[in-house]
Amino acid sequence: MSRAASAATKPPNGAETLLRAAVDAGLEVCFANPGTSEMHFVSAIDSVSANTAGIKGGLRAVLGLHETVCSGAADGYARMTRRPALTLLHLGPGLANGLANLHNARRAGTPVVNLVGDMATWHKAADPLLNSDIGALAAAVSCHTHTCQPGENLSAAMAAAVAATAIGGEGASQAAGGSRVATLIVPHDLSWERGNDTATEANPVGSGTSGPAAHAPAALPHSQHSIAAPAPGLPAGAQRFVREAAAALKACPRGKAALYIGGRAALAEGEALLSCGRIAAATGAALLCENAFARLDRGAGLPDVQRLPYFPQDAAAELAKYELLLLLDARPPVANFGYEGGPSRLVTLPEEAVWEFDSGLVDLPAALRLLAEELGAAGITPGVNCRGTFCSPSRPPVPTGRLTAAALCQAVAALQPAGAVVVDESLTSGGSYFSVSRGCPQFSHLTLTGGAIGAGIPLTVGAAVACPDRTVINLQADGSAMYSLQGLWTQAREQLRVVTVICANRSYAILKVEQAKQRITLSNGKASRALTDLGSPALDWVSLAQGMGVPASRATTCEELVAALRTAMQRQGPSLVEAVL
Ligand SMILES: Cc1ncc(C[n+]2csc(CCOP(=O)(O)OP(=O)(O)O)c2C)c(N)n1
Ligand SMILES: [Mg+2]
């Protein structure tokens, strides 16, 4: 028998089986940072690669030079495709390095499947150097954690992990802050052993009904009005719920109701966002969105949504204007921190004045469409009879002169191409971008969902892999960028179309704001200031980027920034501009 023929008849090892099952379940990308216990996966990649194995829709492996890049990239990919990517991580320490961005993915409600190696089953008890409790680490962010066992059907284990990440999968209801991150832990010996599996039919990805029925999400109501059961399509109970919500909206005085949108409601796909705009136009309800949204589709022709302010007192003041609140795939807003004397939960309305629509429990686009019909809003057309609820095309002029944070935002809004994906981890520098970009050609806006900084650059990697035809723009605060700057190397390696604008204020500016806000006067001496100052030495972003293969330049005036952005937007690969503020 020839070598090739014998290879063909050899049963696949565990690593090949798991990767093949991932492909069968519809996964297309693996963001990887492997080690010794994952080497069989590394070797198996070619057997499932679209390029080398010629498998239609095979798996593309993308190397990240730190696990936070891999986990953040998986989040960015899922925010754009609404499908999970795989991460491949090395043992407990590798997973731990990826946790901050898995936390952000959990808050974003994005599906991610982590494949994490472990010590060989027979070696674990010896407690080798890299041994740790991987399950405990995974549990902090995962809705599903499973350690593969000897003799187990590995294809089924992978299919179950993928299914757990589906909407309505094992994760608790999305609007209640549930996770769609699944972690599969694979002992080293299982990855090399062969032939335990009879392949099972994997569950498809991305359908609202692919979660196993035994793991239907529990409804975690925050109000009297919650739909009690998962609803593919719109069953009678959901229809009744929608009609009752419509009646409540009609009965509410004009201007006293608000739609608060997040998750699925914030996306143009399925016309969910369009329905929100129509409902607002017909009823006079305000259209608010989460401050930390996973993805909001924005721009001319889409609803003009108001972002809830960051600081709790401001957010509470905004919410206090309303007597009726519809939470559309969004958790009830709470303060990000409990400040001395400050609020905790920001919604103070009685339970009967809060209506929750949760995409984990109901087909949200269908529910919003029905709600719009019930309110006589179905005929509302953006720009025609929408009473200004939708954004008209408008662009700010390109700025000139002194380069400030506001001018930086204006420059990006003036120049961003149609269909851009804007990854916004701009923190204090990006305050004005949301309003100045409202009339831009349609784009997707992604923000920091879980407050764990260092998401921006990794999110661009995933978004650009997901959307090769769209320009990804990263509004990136300098301190946060330093948590995951090695993602720039992956941008260069994969030649991703990403324009990074570093907001180089050489400071942890937000922490200075927080210090002042909390009136901490105990000490504001040199040692204290040193903990929020990044100026000495100043980070040289041009060198850092160039050192990783990303062309870069520095801008100190608006004219320099505009020229650099114009050049960058033309490039097929990545580039970076350090905007010195
Ligand atoms: C993982 C993690 N570590 C630390 C923090 C605390 N933190 C919040 S903002 C911040 C500094 C942000 O500075 P930068 O990114 O430069 O933005 P700027 O405030 O200057 O706009 C830090 C350290 C955090 N939120 N997440
Ligand atoms: Mg800064």
Side-chain angles (χ1 to χ4, degrees):
M1 198 187 286
S2 73
R3 272 180 77 127
S6 87
T9 52
K10 221 169 167 185
N13 67 20
E16 288 169 60
T17 302
L18 282 160
L19 292 182
R20 180 64 66 125
V23 171
D24 288 346
L27 275 61
E28 293 174 335
V29 182
C30 176
F31 297 102
N33 189 274
T36 305
S37 42
E38 296 77 36
M39 292 320 292
H40 288 85
F41 289 98
V42 171
S43 298
I45 280 285
D46 280 299
S47 72
V48 291
S49 153
N51 291 335
T52 46
I55 296 173
K56 192 164 171 282
L59 202 67
R60 171 176 173 189
V62 176
L63 181 62
L65 299 189
H66 187 282
E67 295 82 353
T68 199
V69 175
C70 301
S71 54
D75 183 8
Y77 175 88
R79 291 194 201 187
M80 297 314 300
T81 60
R82 300 179 47 234
R83 286 181 288 118
L86 206 57
T87 69
L88 180 62
L89 309 174
H90 183 49
L91 303 166
L95 175 61
N97 278 346
L99 280 184
N101 274 332
L102 290 172
H103 164 82
N104 289 325
R106 174 172 79 86
R107 287 300 191 197
T110 43
V112 176
V113 180
N114 301 309
L115 206 46
V116 185
D118 197 358
M119 292 297 162
T121 50
W122 45 264
H123 189 43
K124 192 150 175 86
D127 194 20
L129 215 58
L130 273 155
N131 188 39
S132 67
D133 186 348
I134 303 173
L137 292 166
V141 292
S142 308
C143 66
H144 169 106
T145 302
H146 177 73
T147 303
C148 296
Q149 302 297 320
E152 185 180 351
N153 183 323
L154 296 179
S155 303
M158 174 57 79
V162 175
T165 70
I167 288 177
E170 262 175 66
S173 114
Q174 258 320 289
S179 168
R180 291 175 63 197
V181 176
T183 304
L184 201 55
I185 303 165
V186 187
H188 198 174
D189 47 338
L190 270 55
S191 74
W192 71 65
E193 273 167 13
R194 291 180 185 275
N196 279 327
D197 269 30
T198 46
T200 53
E201 199 172 306
N203 279 310
V205 184
S207 106
T209 55
S210 59
H215 300 298
L220 298 177
H222 295 272
S223 74
Q224 284 183 1
H225 311 295
S226 289
I227 299 168
L234 272 193
Q239 290 188 26
R240 201 174 326 115
F241 177 85
V242 170
R243 293 203 171 93
E244 285 170 12
L249 260 176
K250 276 184 197 159
C252 186
R254 223 179 153 75
K256 287 290 174 186
L259 311 185
Y260 179 68
I261 67 173
R264 186 77 183 79
L267 307 186
E269 292 151 37
E271 300 197 341
L273 194 52
L274 178 66
S275 294
C276 293
R278 284 176 164 156
I279 294 161
T283 62
L287 209 45
L288 308 177
C289 71
E290 295 175 314
N291 179 271
F293 49 83
R295 172 181 149 200
L296 178 64
D297 290 334
R298 303 188 53 215
L302 288 171
D304 193 3
V305 179
Q306 189 188 334
R307 187 178 187 179
L308 197 69
Y310 174 80
F311 284 113
Q313 268 88 356
D314 304 333
E318 177 59 34
L319 291 165
K321 295 177 187 167
Y322 308 106
E323 296 169 7
L324 182 76
L325 197 58
L326 267 61
L327 301 175
L328 305 179
D329 221 15
R331 301 169 73 207
V334 301
N336 282 348
F337 295 96
Y339 296 90
E340 202 176 341
S344 174
R345 295 175 194 275
L346 300 176
V347 178
T348 53
L349 289 171
E351 285 185 348
E352 63 273 13
V354 181
W355 295 73
E356 292 183 56
F357 288 68
D358 180 344
S359 69
L361 306 175
V362 70
D363 177 345
L364 195 70
L368 292 172
R369 206 172 303 125
L370 178 61
L371 187 60
E373 278 168 23
E374 288 291 314
L375 293 163
I380 286 172
T381 307
V384 177
N385 56 351
C386 72
R387 304 184 185 185
T389 306
F390 288 78
C391 299
S392 311
S394 70
R395 290 258 207 186
V398 290
T400 54
R402 199 171 140 242
L403 185 52
T404 61
L408 183 158
C409 295
Q410 189 180 326
V412 171
L415 298 173
Q416 66 186 68
V421 178
V422 176
V423 173
D424 182 354
E425 194 179 34
S426 54
L427 276 62
T428 60
S429 300
S432 61
Y433 176 74
F434 193 86
S435 59
V436 82
S437 60
R438 56 171 25 102
C440 285
Q442 291 188 10
F443 67 105
S444 297
H445 192 168
L446 278 51
T447 72
L448 179 63
T449 48
I453 59 175
I457 294 171
L459 284 173
T460 70
V461 169
V465 166
C467 306
D469 300 331
R470 301 174 68 170
T471 300
V472 178
I473 300 170
N474 184 197
L475 280 174
Q476 184 58 58
D478 53 357
S480 301
M482 283 303 289
Y483 284 62
S484 47
L485 79 167
Q486 54 277 72
L488 295 173
W489 181 87
T490 304
Q491 290 178 4
R493 145 81 78 106
E494 301 290 326
Q495 279 301 292
L496 302 176
R497 234 161 97 182
V498 182
V499 179
T500 301
V501 184
I502 296 288
C503 310
N505 61 9
R506 318 255 195 252
S507 144
Y508 281 170
I510 184 74
L511 298 189
K512 292 178 178 164
V513 174
E514 294 282 7
Q515 208 171 8
K517 221 178 149 52
Q518 295 180 56
R519 299 199 176 82
I520 306 168
T521 50
L522 195 61
S523 154
N524 196 15
K526 210 172 156 201
S528 174
R529 282 201 303 276
L531 292 183
T532 56
D533 175 38
L534 307 181
S536 177
L539 291 157
D540 179 350
W541 279 99
V542 175
S543 297
L544 291 169
Q546 286 174 347
M548 285 181 276
V550 173
S553 62
R554 183 170 294 122
T556 55
T557 63
C558 283
E559 286 76 6
E560 286 172 4
L561 176 64
V562 165
L565 284 177
R566 285 204 162 110
T567 309
M569 305 282 187
Q570 298 305 318
R571 286 183 53 85
Q572 287 306 308
S575 46
L576 179 144
V577 188
E578 177 182 339
V580 181
L581 301 175

